[in-house]
Short mmCIF file of all heavy atoms in Angstrom, two decimals:
data_model
loop_
_atom_site.label_atom_id
_atom_site.label_comp_id
_atom_site.label_asym_id
_atom_site.label_seq_id
_atom_site.Cartn_x
_atom_site.Cartn_y
_atom_site.Cartn_z
N THR F 15 0.81 -1.21 0.00
CA THR F 15 0.00 0.00 0.00
C THR F 15 0.85 1.27 0.00
O THR F 15 0.36 2.34 -0.32
CB THR F 15 -0.92 0.01 1.23
OG1 THR F 15 -0.11 -0.14 2.42
CG2 THR F 15 -1.93 -1.12 1.16
N VAL F 16 2.13 1.12 0.38
CA VAL F 16 3.03 2.27 0.46
C VAL F 16 4.40 1.85 -0.07
O VAL F 16 4.85 0.72 0.16
CB VAL F 16 3.17 2.78 1.91
CG1 VAL F 16 4.25 3.85 2.02
CG2 VAL F 16 1.85 3.33 2.41
N HIS F 17 5.06 2.78 -0.75
CA HIS F 17 6.43 2.56 -1.21
C HIS F 17 7.28 3.73 -0.71
O HIS F 17 6.94 4.89 -0.95
CB HIS F 17 6.46 2.49 -2.73
CG HIS F 17 7.83 2.36 -3.34
ND1 HIS F 17 8.86 1.66 -2.76
CD2 HIS F 17 8.34 2.87 -4.52
CE1 HIS F 17 9.93 1.73 -3.53
NE2 HIS F 17 9.64 2.46 -4.59
N ILE F 18 8.36 3.42 0.01
CA ILE F 18 9.26 4.45 0.54
C ILE F 18 10.57 4.42 -0.23
O ILE F 18 11.17 3.37 -0.41
CB ILE F 18 9.55 4.23 2.04
CG1 ILE F 18 8.26 4.25 2.85
CG2 ILE F 18 10.52 5.29 2.55
CD1 ILE F 18 7.53 5.58 2.85
N LEU F 19 11.01 5.60 -0.67
CA LEU F 19 12.26 5.74 -1.41
C LEU F 19 13.23 6.65 -0.67
O LEU F 19 12.84 7.75 -0.24
CB LEU F 19 12.00 6.34 -2.80
CG LEU F 19 11.65 5.42 -3.96
CD1 LEU F 19 11.34 6.26 -5.19
CD2 LEU F 19 12.77 4.45 -4.25
N ALA F 20 14.47 6.21 -0.52
CA ALA F 20 15.51 7.05 0.04
C ALA F 20 16.71 7.17 -0.90
O ALA F 20 17.63 7.93 -0.64
CB ALA F 20 15.96 6.51 1.39
N SER F 21 16.73 6.38 -1.99
CA SER F 21 17.83 6.42 -2.95
C SER F 21 17.65 7.62 -3.87
O SER F 21 16.66 7.73 -4.60
CB SER F 21 17.88 5.12 -3.75
OG SER F 21 16.58 4.74 -4.17
N LEU F 22 18.61 8.53 -3.84
CA LEU F 22 18.45 9.83 -4.49
C LEU F 22 18.33 9.73 -6.00
O LEU F 22 17.60 10.50 -6.63
CB LEU F 22 19.62 10.74 -4.12
CG LEU F 22 19.84 10.97 -2.61
CD1 LEU F 22 20.92 12.02 -2.39
CD2 LEU F 22 18.55 11.36 -1.91
N ASP F 23 19.06 8.78 -6.63
CA ASP F 23 18.98 8.66 -8.09
C ASP F 23 17.61 8.13 -8.51
O ASP F 23 17.06 8.54 -9.55
CB ASP F 23 20.10 7.79 -8.64
CG ASP F 23 20.18 6.43 -7.98
OD1 ASP F 23 19.77 6.29 -6.81
OD2 ASP F 23 20.67 5.49 -8.62
N ASP F 24 17.04 7.22 -7.72
CA ASP F 24 15.71 6.70 -8.03
C ASP F 24 14.66 7.80 -7.93
O ASP F 24 13.74 7.90 -8.75
CB ASP F 24 15.34 5.55 -7.08
CG ASP F 24 16.16 4.30 -7.33
OD1 ASP F 24 16.64 4.11 -8.46
OD2 ASP F 24 16.34 3.51 -6.39
N ILE F 25 14.79 8.65 -6.91
CA ILE F 25 13.85 9.75 -6.73
C ILE F 25 13.96 10.75 -7.87
O ILE F 25 12.96 11.20 -8.44
CB ILE F 25 14.09 10.44 -5.37
CG1 ILE F 25 13.76 9.48 -4.23
CG2 ILE F 25 13.27 11.72 -5.25
CD1 ILE F 25 14.17 9.99 -2.85
N ALA F 26 15.19 11.09 -8.23
CA ALA F 26 15.40 12.04 -9.34
C ALA F 26 14.79 11.51 -10.63
O ALA F 26 14.15 12.25 -11.38
CB ALA F 26 16.89 12.30 -9.52
N TRP F 27 15.00 10.21 -10.90
CA TRP F 27 14.44 9.61 -12.12
C TRP F 27 12.92 9.63 -12.08
O TRP F 27 12.27 10.00 -13.06
CB TRP F 27 14.94 8.16 -12.25
CG TRP F 27 14.28 7.43 -13.38
CD1 TRP F 27 14.65 7.43 -14.70
CD2 TRP F 27 13.12 6.59 -13.31
NE1 TRP F 27 13.79 6.67 -15.44
CE2 TRP F 27 12.84 6.13 -14.62
CE3 TRP F 27 12.28 6.20 -12.26
CZ2 TRP F 27 11.76 5.30 -14.90
CZ3 TRP F 27 11.21 5.37 -12.55
CH2 TRP F 27 10.95 4.92 -13.86
N LEU F 28 12.33 9.24 -10.94
CA LEU F 28 10.89 9.10 -10.85
C LEU F 28 10.16 10.42 -11.08
O LEU F 28 9.15 10.47 -11.78
CB LEU F 28 10.52 8.53 -9.47
CG LEU F 28 9.04 8.26 -9.20
CD1 LEU F 28 8.48 7.25 -10.20
CD2 LEU F 28 8.85 7.76 -7.77
N PHE F 29 10.69 11.50 -10.54
CA PHE F 29 10.01 12.79 -10.62
C PHE F 29 10.58 13.71 -11.71
O PHE F 29 10.19 14.87 -11.82
CB PHE F 29 10.05 13.49 -9.26
CG PHE F 29 9.31 12.73 -8.19
CD1 PHE F 29 9.99 12.07 -7.19
CD2 PHE F 29 7.93 12.65 -8.21
CE1 PHE F 29 9.31 11.35 -6.20
CE2 PHE F 29 7.23 11.94 -7.24
CZ PHE F 29 7.92 11.29 -6.24
N GLN F 30 11.52 13.18 -12.50
CA GLN F 30 12.11 13.93 -13.62
C GLN F 30 12.72 15.26 -13.18
O GLN F 30 12.56 16.30 -13.83
CB GLN F 30 11.09 14.14 -14.73
CG GLN F 30 10.67 12.84 -15.38
CD GLN F 30 9.85 13.00 -16.65
OE1 GLN F 30 9.56 12.02 -17.29
NE2 GLN F 30 9.47 14.21 -17.00
N LEU F 31 13.43 15.18 -12.04
CA LEU F 31 14.09 16.35 -11.48
C LEU F 31 15.57 16.04 -11.29
O LEU F 31 15.96 14.88 -11.17
CB LEU F 31 13.48 16.72 -10.13
CG LEU F 31 11.99 17.08 -10.13
CD1 LEU F 31 11.50 17.25 -8.69
CD2 LEU F 31 11.73 18.34 -10.93
N ARG F 32 16.38 17.07 -11.27
CA ARG F 32 17.80 16.91 -11.00
C ARG F 32 18.24 18.01 -10.04
O ARG F 32 17.53 19.00 -9.83
CB ARG F 32 18.62 17.00 -12.30
CG ARG F 32 18.27 15.93 -13.34
CD ARG F 32 18.61 14.53 -12.87
NE ARG F 32 18.42 13.53 -13.91
CZ ARG F 32 17.30 12.83 -14.08
NH1 ARG F 32 16.25 13.04 -13.29
NH2 ARG F 32 17.21 11.92 -15.04
N GLY F 33 19.40 17.83 -9.42
CA GLY F 33 19.90 18.81 -8.46
C GLY F 33 21.41 18.88 -8.45
O GLY F 33 22.08 18.26 -9.28
N LYS F 34 21.96 19.61 -7.48
CA LYS F 34 23.41 19.81 -7.40
C LYS F 34 23.91 19.67 -5.97
O LYS F 34 24.86 20.33 -5.57
CB LYS F 34 23.79 21.19 -7.95
CG LYS F 34 23.51 21.37 -9.44
CD LYS F 34 23.99 22.72 -9.94
CE LYS F 34 23.76 22.88 -11.43
NZ LYS F 34 24.23 24.20 -11.93
N ASP F 35 23.28 18.77 -5.21
CA ASP F 35 23.66 18.63 -3.80
C ASP F 35 24.88 17.75 -3.58
O ASP F 35 25.51 17.82 -2.53
CB ASP F 35 22.49 18.07 -3.00
CG ASP F 35 21.40 19.12 -2.76
OD1 ASP F 35 21.68 20.31 -2.93
OD2 ASP F 35 20.26 18.73 -2.42
N ILE F 36 25.20 16.90 -4.54
CA ILE F 36 26.33 15.98 -4.41
C ILE F 36 27.25 16.13 -5.63
O ILE F 36 26.77 16.02 -6.76
CB ILE F 36 25.86 14.52 -4.28
CG1 ILE F 36 25.00 14.37 -3.01
CG2 ILE F 36 27.03 13.56 -4.25
CD1 ILE F 36 24.43 12.99 -2.82
N PRO F 37 28.53 16.41 -5.43
CA PRO F 37 29.43 16.59 -6.57
C PRO F 37 29.39 15.40 -7.53
O PRO F 37 29.36 14.24 -7.09
CB PRO F 37 30.80 16.73 -5.91
CG PRO F 37 30.51 17.22 -4.54
CD PRO F 37 29.21 16.58 -4.15
N TYR F 38 29.37 15.70 -8.80
CA TYR F 38 29.42 14.73 -9.90
C TYR F 38 28.10 14.00 -10.15
O TYR F 38 27.94 13.37 -11.19
CB TYR F 38 30.53 13.69 -9.69
CG TYR F 38 31.87 14.25 -9.32
CD1 TYR F 38 32.56 13.82 -8.20
CD2 TYR F 38 32.47 15.25 -10.11
CE1 TYR F 38 33.80 14.33 -7.86
CE2 TYR F 38 33.71 15.78 -9.77
CZ TYR F 38 34.38 15.32 -8.65
OH TYR F 38 35.61 15.84 -8.32
N ASN F 39 27.18 14.04 -9.20
CA ASN F 39 25.91 13.33 -9.34
C ASN F 39 24.76 14.34 -9.26
O ASN F 39 24.54 14.91 -8.18
CB ASN F 39 25.75 12.28 -8.25
CG ASN F 39 26.87 11.26 -8.27
OD1 ASN F 39 26.96 10.44 -9.16
ND2 ASN F 39 27.76 11.33 -7.29
N PRO F 40 24.02 14.57 -10.33
CA PRO F 40 22.98 15.60 -10.32
C PRO F 40 21.71 15.17 -9.59
O PRO F 40 20.64 15.07 -10.17
CB PRO F 40 22.73 15.86 -11.81
CG PRO F 40 23.11 14.60 -12.49
CD PRO F 40 24.21 13.99 -11.66
N VAL F 41 21.86 14.90 -8.30
CA VAL F 41 20.73 14.50 -7.47
C VAL F 41 20.55 15.53 -6.36
O VAL F 41 21.34 16.46 -6.22
CB VAL F 41 20.96 13.10 -6.87
CG1 VAL F 41 21.02 12.05 -7.97
CG2 VAL F 41 22.24 13.06 -6.02
N PHE F 42 19.51 15.36 -5.55
CA PHE F 42 19.21 16.31 -4.49
C PHE F 42 18.75 15.54 -3.26
O PHE F 42 18.15 14.48 -3.36
CB PHE F 42 18.14 17.30 -4.94
CG PHE F 42 16.90 16.67 -5.51
CD1 PHE F 42 15.78 16.44 -4.73
CD2 PHE F 42 16.88 16.28 -6.85
CE1 PHE F 42 14.65 15.83 -5.27
CE2 PHE F 42 15.74 15.67 -7.40
CZ PHE F 42 14.63 15.44 -6.60
N PHE F 43 19.03 16.09 -2.07
CA PHE F 43 18.64 15.43 -0.82
C PHE F 43 17.12 15.35 -0.75
O PHE F 43 16.44 16.37 -0.85
CB PHE F 43 19.19 16.20 0.38
CG PHE F 43 20.69 16.21 0.46
CD1 PHE F 43 21.39 17.40 0.54
CD2 PHE F 43 21.41 15.02 0.44
CE1 PHE F 43 22.78 17.42 0.61
CE2 PHE F 43 22.80 15.02 0.50
CZ PHE F 43 23.48 16.23 0.58
N SER F 44 16.63 14.15 -0.55
CA SER F 44 15.18 13.97 -0.60
C SER F 44 14.78 12.58 -0.12
O SER F 44 15.62 11.68 0.01
CB SER F 44 14.67 14.17 -2.04
OG SER F 44 15.36 13.30 -2.94
#
């Protein structure tokens, strides 16, 4: 009934967003 995500690359892919919180990896804390 619920899915929890903490992996930043999976979250970025799922919501079609990118960030600059980690060098070399365009992901964001979430």
